[in-house]
Amino acid sequence: MKMENAMKRTGWLSVGLLALGLTTVQAAENRVQIDWPEFLARHDLVWTEAPKAWTDGPFLGNGMLGSMFHQLDNHTIRISLGRADVEDHKTKGQPFIAQSRLPNGYFTLKTAGKITCFEGRLDLYDAEARARVVTDKGQVEIRGFVHSADMVIVYEFMPSGGEAAMRLDFVPLKAIAPARLQAENDVAHKGDKAHPSRKKWASAPYKYNPDPELGVLDGYQICRQTLVAGGGTGTAWTVKDGRDGGQRLFISIEHSHPGSTAVADAVAHLKAIEDESFASLVQRHRDWWHDYYPKSFVSLDDTRMESFYWIQVYKFGAGARKGRAYMDTMGPWMVEETAWANGWFNLNTQLSYWFLSTANRLEVAESLFTKLDECLPTLVANMPESYGGDCAGMSTIAPQTFVSPFPSGRLGFTGELLWTCHDYWLMLERTMDAERITQKFFPLLKKSVNTYLHFMVEGEDGRIHLPETRSPEYGGGEDCNFNLALFRWGCRTLIQIDERYRINDPLLPKWKDVVARLVDYPKNENGYMVAKDFPFAQSHRHYSHLLMIYPLCEINIDQPENRELIAKSMDHWINYPGRGNAGYSWSGAAAMYALQGDGEKAGKYLDIFMRMQELYPDNPAEIHPTTMYTETNRVQPVTETPLSLCDSMQLMLLQSWGDTIRVFPAVPKSWRNIAFDGLLAAGGFEVSAVRKGGATQFIRIKSRAGEPCLLKTEMVPARIAGIEKSAVRQMPEGRFKIDLKQGEEAILYAEGVEEAIVEPVAAKPENCNSFGLNERYQPAK
């Protein structure tokens, strides 16, 4: 394929980093041998035809700014721009409209000739997009990246032939909530046949923000979007001469509220790089990414699944970052018409963050958790005054500021913050940061649990009950399983922290009383119900009524008395007749079966996820060639579903709930060769392992915190390195107790294995570079 030859790293844009990308780490007898540029190159997204929508184009980002591009017509390439915290700040109206994400504008590349060919590549290792746009008058080579350190978007254009006449234009957009715009357009096109909710949104009172204003500030082109709620958004740009007669476009976007400094701030970002060489700017951008990828490693002989995983690792690095934005439904890739242009906390955000802690991607995980630390006063202020200032909470929808008032008198939104706390706890279990746990997380969790203490009731049976609350999107009733599971988990975790760190909180007896007397989960002949007198009796994508199984693992396979109940509940949910399942239903099913040790069924549901369009053509969800995902007639973007699949994959390779680390606990027979390195397990352990021909070769465990270590594996160790043999004791049911002090590591070898080498599993060439728009992208196969 000519595109492969023209745009490899060793071609036009190479800086000779192949040799520098080889990572070799030696500890005890463990060696990690990964040529990162070569490994990630097999997962680059490749285009041999032009993307025609945002779902299909190359996407770039730095955790705050984002950009993507696609073809609009025979003479136009659209370069979309976004910034994740560009939100409205109205206090009246539906939150998903009043506090919605807002568009700012985009660029168009107008070609002199008719576009006849498009070839492109998204280079994961360098986080750069490259494309060649061929027309009947010449061609334009495009290179783009969003700088990893600076708030700057960079595009380089190299025209040749008649395309020297190409033109760049900025198209400003009105700062209108995408849900409002979608509703207005729906009503305009369908009239009385428009959906009732769209008609309601289109006719509701809405204060329009002023039209954008174009101008010049200190020699830079600018666009100012003023908001009626105060503050606004500023976009600044400049075009400079590039190499070989090309042009370089530099863009910055800023948002300010309530102040109006956004335009000046955006210009300041561009001024800050004026005197830096372009080569230096590029290298500083790449440095972050080259350090990001080796934090952990996963490889398996399902090359397409391996590609999907690594594209999500890239996506999260592009979409969220510590000190920047948390990942909402779109990340920094703005969509101008969608009803979900917000951060949603009734499932979406929680699913997005599950895989990061195990994947050792803590800097991007901190995009949410540091923000929770900083916003605790806001989360307290969200609660009604009647709660007395000792509770924290938020509604389903929360902007980047977390200003999300808890609806007075409506208990349906109780679980949103507590569920998010569980994501935070997953990270802390793996870092074992005592100061963070006691000084930051404990107060947040305590105030989240306090909300339940305010409205729980004691029944005539002497048990503690919950009044009517909701299971997200499904409905609710008394003793709702969604909230019972979170309440029980929250109290148990508070007790665990209090006793471990000797906090002696005055509420400790209350939490213990809740754990002892909280009512059992309502269930019937089909398994767990939604709530008391409320069976699960409708096909639905959410599995919130099963949180006690996943992700909380409060009910698990180590409890023989619950195994049949777990299986019955899962089967009743995922196989209920109807069209209610969505992509994350299948990733959730894969995770739940992995937690039951059933690798074949876990693999089955991963396969269903990857083939959802073929298997369920009438289902309103779709996974796109770039791994972007949409629901509701395949037009509403949501990022969480592809990201959630990574957690399902990890649970097949490594689990660490309860007191046990489980290595390869649910691997399907088709995954005969697997390697992973640097994955984190609860208790502060770093784990590596290799499987060849369906058999585990070795397991390496390093202790970061000196916690007790209990390992479960089907491998019977024949040799141990790094510690004394006496430090490893065999226990019942394939478990091994390993005495590891902080900083120590052990390698357990299978019979006949001499070296502990982690390296990529051989790829299937026909499945390499299978994402993007090319002949290898075949979602139905």
Side-chain angles (χ1 to χ4, degrees):
M1 188 168 59
K2 63 181 180 179
M3 189 59 205
E4 297 278 350
N5 296 326
M7 304 196 71
K8 283 181 179 177
R9 302 171 207 287
T10 52
W12 170 49
L13 293 173
S14 173
V15 293
L17 290 174
L18 278 172
L20 298 178
L22 183 64
T23 302
T24 301
V25 179
Q26 192 160 359
E29 301 176 26
N30 180 66
R31 285 185 289 159
V32 180
Q33 296 181 342
I34 304 162
D35 187 324
W36 282 99
E38 181 179 281
F39 172 71
L40 288 172
R42 73 196 198 188
H43 305 311
D44 287 350
L45 291 82
V46 172
W47 284 260
T48 54
E49 62 179 276
K52 299 295 178 65
W54 74 270
T55 51
D56 299 336
F59 56 96
L60 305 159
N62 70 358
M64 184 64 87
L65 298 181
S67 184
M68 41 194 356
F69 56 91
H70 65 271
Q71 183 177 338
L72 285 182
D73 57 42
N74 290 337
H75 292 270
T76 311
I77 300 293
R78 170 177 166 150
I79 300 172
S80 300
L81 309 174
R83 181 176 166 110
D85 66 350
V86 173
E87 299 170 323
D88 217 335
H89 303 275
K90 298 184 178 78
T91 57
K92 295 181 179 180
Q94 292 274 13
F96 70 94
I97 294 178
Q99 296 178 312
S100 171
R101 292 274 300 273
L102 298 172
N104 53 294
Y106 60 90
F107 277 88
T108 57
L109 167 64
K110 292 285 188 178
T111 59
K114 179 181 178 181
I115 297 173
T116 59
C117 179
F118 181 101
E119 299 172 323
R121 190 179 191 106
L122 178 53
D123 178 336
L124 299 181
Y125 186 63
D126 286 343
E128 297 177 5
R130 302 159 192 167
R132 178 180 293 113
V133 180
V134 181
T135 76
D136 56 11
K137 292 187 177 181
Q139 67 178 26
V140 181
E141 290 178 329
I142 303 173
R143 171 196 192 181
F145 61 91
V146 179
H147 201 277
S148 59
D150 302 330
M151 289 299 158
V152 180
I153 300 170
V154 181
Y155 278 93
E156 185 174 38
F157 307 96
M158 295 185 62
S160 58
E163 287 306 328
M166 56 154 264
R167 190 177 80 246
L168 285 171
D169 295 304
F170 179 73
V171 180
L173 292 173
K174 191 176 180 67
I176 181 173
R180 175 73 179 203
L181 182 61
Q182 185 184 69
E184 290 178 351
N185 287 340
D186 196 40
V187 170
H189 287 98
K190 299 179 181 178
D192 291 338
K193 295 182 179 180
H195 193 279
S197 65
R198 299 300 189 270
K199 290 192 283 187
K200 179 179 178 181
W201 300 345
S203 61
Y206 182 77
K207 289 187 177 181
Y208 291 89
N209 293 310
D211 289 342
E213 299 175 354
L214 298 177
V216 178
L217 178 63
D218 296 343
Y220 293 90
Q221 300 294 313
I222 63 166
C223 175
R224 177 182 284 105
Q225 293 172 299
T226 304
L227 303 180
V228 296
T233 303
T235 303
W237 67 93
T238 187
V239 179
K240 296 183 178 182
D241 292 338
R243 59 192 176 91
D244 301 328
Q247 298 179 29
R248 289 172 179 157
L249 172 64
F250 299 86
I251 313 155
S252 187
I253 308 167
E254 268 291 350
H255 183 73
S256 60
H257 174 79
S260 300
T261 62
V263 170
D265 294 340
V267 169
H269 290 309
L270 298 179
K271 287 182 177 181
I273 62 169
E274 277 183 335
D275 298 328
E276 183 176 13
S277 71
F278 192 69
S280 171
L281 186 73
V282 170
Q283 191 57 55
R284 285 198 302 108
H285 160 69
R286 293 176 175 176
D287 286 345
W288 186 88
W289 287 95
H290 296 174
D291 182 61
Y292 169 69
Y293 287 116
K295 302 294 185 185
S296 68
F297 176 71
V298 172
S299 182
L300 59 152
D301 45 13
D302 185 335
T303 306
R304 192 157 184 265
M305 190 65 69
E306 180 184 280
S307 290
F308 193 94
Y309 179 89
W310 282 101
I311 293 169
Q312 306 323 301
V313 172
Y314 164 80
K315 186 187 293 178
F316 222 112
R321 198 82 58 81
K322 181 179 181 180
R324 297 183 181 175
Y326 74 78
M327 184 73 85
D328 64 10
T329 57
M330 295 186 296
W333 305 291
M334 186 64 202
V335 179
E336 283 109 44
E337 289 191 44
T338 170
W340 299 339
N342 313 86
W344 290 73
F345 284 83
N346 61 345
L347 175 141
N348 306 73
T349 301
Q350 289 88 346
L351 267 63
S352 298
Y353 280 79
W354 278 343
F355 87 98
L356 295 175
S357 299
T358 298
N360 202 359
R361 307 286 166 190
L362 302 183
E363 182 175 353
V364 294
E366 288 283 15
S367 59
L368 176 62
F369 307 136
T370 298
K371 194 177 288 285
L372 288 174
D373 292 342
E374 295 170 348
C375 292
L376 180 55
T378 301
L379 295 167
V380 172
N382 283 338
M383 302 301 294
E385 291 184 7
S386 60
Y387 281 72
D390 65 347
C391 299
M394 60 185 177
S395 187
T396 297
I397 299 168
Q400 294 290 330
T401 60
F402 278 108
V403 176
S404 178
F406 189 95
S408 182
R410 296 180 63 187
L411 300 180
F413 300 96
T414 308
E416 272 75 348
L417 180 57
L418 193 50
W419 191 357
T420 311
C421 285
H422 179 260
D423 284 60
Y424 194 170
W425 181 238
L426 290 175
M427 181 185 77
L428 294 175
E429 281 189 306
R430 286 153 179 77
T431 63
M432 299 301 293
D433 184 336
E435 182 177 357
R436 182 82 172 270
I437 291 170
T438 57
Q439 301 303 311
K440 298 293 185 180
F441 179 73
F442 187 78
L444 172 67
L445 182 61
K446 178 180 174 180
K447 290 181 181 297
S448 301
V449 168
N450 279 353
T451 302
Y452 288 81
L453 298 181
H454 270 273
F455 63 76
M456 69 182 191
V457 295
E458 184 167 338
E460 294 180 359
D461 56 358
R463 306 294 295 273
I464 293 173
H465 296 261
L466 294 180
E468 182 173 348
T469 58
R470 288 180 58 81
S471 192
E473 290 194 359
Y474 198 89
E478 296 178 10
D479 294 333
C480 174
N481 271 335
F482 168 71
N483 282 295
L484 286 176
L486 290 169
F487 190 20
R488 181 173 278 115
W489 168 81
C491 288
R492 282 180 174 168
T493 304
L494 286 169
I495 294 168
Q496 177 184 343
I497 295 171
D498 188 285
E499 294 182 342
R500 175 184 175 84
Y501 297 104
R502 298 183 176 90
I503 296 173
N504 197 27
D505 191 278
L507 285 176
L508 181 60
K510 173 69 74 175
W511 304 327
K512 289 184 175 181
D513 182 53
V514 170
V515 170
R517 295 197 297 130
L518 189 62
V519 67
D520 295 335
Y521 299 116
K523 55 184 179 291
N524 63 10
E525 69 279 5
N526 296 315
Y528 288 118
M529 301 168 68
V530 176
K532 177 184 175 183
D533 302 323
F534 192 158
F536 185 90
Q538 175 185 339
S539 178
H540 199 278
R541 57 192 179 182
H542 275 240
Y543 46 85
S544 304
H545 67 298
L546 302 180
L547 285 196
M548 71 291 285
I549 300 173
Y550 174 66
L552 302 181
C553 296
E554 293 281 308
I555 302 296
N556 57 68
I557 196 172
D558 282 353
Q559 302 159 347
E561 70 277 13
N562 287 324
R563 290 174 185 171
E564 183 179 350
L565 177 60
I566 294 171
K568 186 186 300 183
S569 301
M570 290 163 47
D571 180 74
H572 183 66
W573 161 65
I574 194 63
N575 292 313
Y576 202 94
R579 299 172 63 238
N581 290 336
Y584 60 73
S585 306
W586 294 305
S587 66
M592 291 186 208
Y593 281 111
L595 287 170
Q596 311 317 306
D598 192 334
E600 296 309 313
K601 283 190 177 178
K604 167 190 170 181
Y605 283 102
L606 289 186
D607 182 63
I608 290 175
F609 178 99
M610 300 293 283
R611 301 168 59 206
M612 65 177 78
Q613 286 96 285
E614 173 204 5
L615 298 175
Y616 300 97
D618 295 331
N619 192 284
E622 182 174 1
I623 188 76
H624 295 275
T626 59
T627 78
M628 290 295 184
Y629 171 82
T630 53
E631 286 185 12
T632 310
N633 298 323
R634 305 180 180 182
V635 297
Q636 309 287 10
V638 272
T639 57
E640 82 289 322
T641 295
L643 300 172
S644 72
L645 193 73
C646 296
D647 188 58
S648 307
M649 289 177 59
Q650 287 174 348
L651 288 171
M652 299 164 76
L653 310 182
L654 178 68
Q655 297 175 20
S656 59
W657 49 270
D659 62 355
T660 303
I661 298 170
R662 302 159 179 84
V663 176
F664 300 129
V667 175
K669 293 178 181 178
S670 59
W671 290 8
R672 295 184 57 76
N673 304 295
I674 307 170
F676 69 79
D677 179 69
L679 298 185
L680 301 185
F685 296 98
E686 185 178 301
V687 187
S688 307
V690 166
R691 189 175 180 89
K692 292 183 179 180
T696 301
Q697 304 296 292
F698 71 87
I699 299 170
R700 167 186 168 265
I701 301 181
K702 180 177 181 179
S703 174
R704 294 179 167 187
E707 292 291 298
C709 180
L710 194 61
L711 170 70
K712 185 173 183 179
T713 171
E714 94 291 349
M715 179 187 75
V716 178
R719 184 165 65 90
I720 299 167
I723 59 174
E724 296 295 328
K725 291 183 179 179
S726 60
V728 179
R729 288 189 294 157
Q730 189 165 359
M731 309 293 286
E733 299 181 348
R735 287 175 165 86
F736 296 86
K737 187 175 182 180
I738 306 174
D739 184 11
L740 279 176
K741 297 179 177 60
Q742 185 174 8
E744 288 186 339
E745 66 179 45
I747 304 178
L748 284 64
Y749 291 90
E751 183 71 38
V753 178
E754 297 298 327
E755 293 184 291
I757 298 176
V758 178
E759 57 188 352
V761 173
K764 294 180 173 64
E766 66 273 16
N767 290 331
C768 291
N769 307 113
S770 57
F771 291 94
L773 285 172
N774 61 70
E775 63 272 17
R776 292 179 180 174
Y777 180 73
Q778 297 177 348
K781 295 184 180 179

